[in-house]
Amino acid sequence: MNAPWPMLVSMLALFLSPGPATMSLAATGAAYGPRRGGRYLAGIIAGTLFDAVLIATGLVGVLFALPAARGVLTIVASAYILYLAWKIATAKPLREAEPGDRPPGFTSGFMLAITNPKAFAAIGAIFAGYTIFASSPITDVLFKIGMLFVIILAGDWVWLAAGALLAQMLRSERAGRILNICFALALILSVAALLPAGA
């Protein structure tokens, strides 16, 4: 067994840094609050773990070997994230939200996670770059998925709660609307930064 600490440090840096998932969680927290954003958080966690299974089984490598498939995934991911950004930008400020306002749910979080280019790149880097249990590939994969689950559960909840806390600190409706728009723009920019040139 190799020491897991270098892998854990890399996981923390890769999965807790700003990206489509973390930015959308902060935006959801700001627009709807942490309790109402819980299903969205659960969807992102489930989708990210699904990504890990796809990478561990090699299915992503087969898919990405097809240029047309990569193009379709890029278009679908970009369109879906633009939709989420619009939904967040047009949401009422947290202080003005009404019970009838529907936050993104489990399916929205799952869809974002399985179309998130940062998630695939980060999980691929972890799986390819570190081996903890060299004598047991299955144990190695399960350990990595388990660590990934713990890190994204804690870290993503912090992003969701931080967005809500920031929104609650604002005193005016106008400031709340500006915050929602800023989070939506940050979400769009976080995706644009991950797209390859010419994609």
Side-chain angles (χ1 to χ4, degrees):
M1 177 178 173
N2 297 317
W5 309 118
M7 183 190 75
L8 293 177
V9 170
S10 294
M11 279 187 168
L12 288 169
L14 288 168
F15 293 103
L16 301 188
S17 59
T22 52
M23 284 292 96
S24 69
L25 280 163
T28 299
Y32 301 100
R35 184 181 62 81
R36 298 182 68 205
R39 290 186 179 181
Y40 182 68
L41 170 63
I44 284 184
I45 293 171
T48 305
L49 295 178
F50 182 73
D51 295 345
V53 171
L54 291 180
I55 289 171
T57 57
L59 293 177
V60 168
V62 173
L63 179 65
F64 280 6
L66 305 171
R70 296 184 77 159
V72 169
L73 181 61
T74 299
I75 292 170
V76 170
S78 300
Y80 193 73
I81 291 170
L82 285 173
Y83 161 74
L84 280 178
W86 173 82
K87 187 173 177 65
I88 289 163
T90 57
K92 291 184 179 180
L94 185 56
R95 289 176 176 271
E96 306 295 327
E98 299 173 358
D101 295 339
R102 294 189 61 184
F106 180 91
T107 302
S108 294
F110 189 86
M111 289 297 297
L112 182 133
I114 66 172
T115 58
N116 180 359
K118 182 190 175 188
F120 284 109
I123 296 169
I126 293 296
F127 275 67
Y130 298 94
T131 301
I132 308 303
F133 295 94
S135 61
S136 177
I138 293 177
T139 302
D140 191 64
V141 167
L142 292 176
F143 180 79
K144 289 172 183 173
I145 291 176
M147 291 298 96
L148 175 63
F149 172 73
V150 171
I151 287 170
I152 61 175
L153 175 63
D156 285 357
W157 186 88
V158 168
W159 276 98
L160 180 70
L165 180 62
L166 185 57
Q168 289 171 350
M169 290 169 61
L170 300 176
R171 298 298 180 189
S172 72
E173 179 181 348
R174 183 168 181 264
R177 290 189 181 280
I178 291 172
L179 177 65
N180 287 352
I181 292 170
C182 288
F183 270 130
L185 290 174
L187 175 56
I188 293 169
L189 290 174
S190 72
V191 177
L194 295 171
L195 295 177

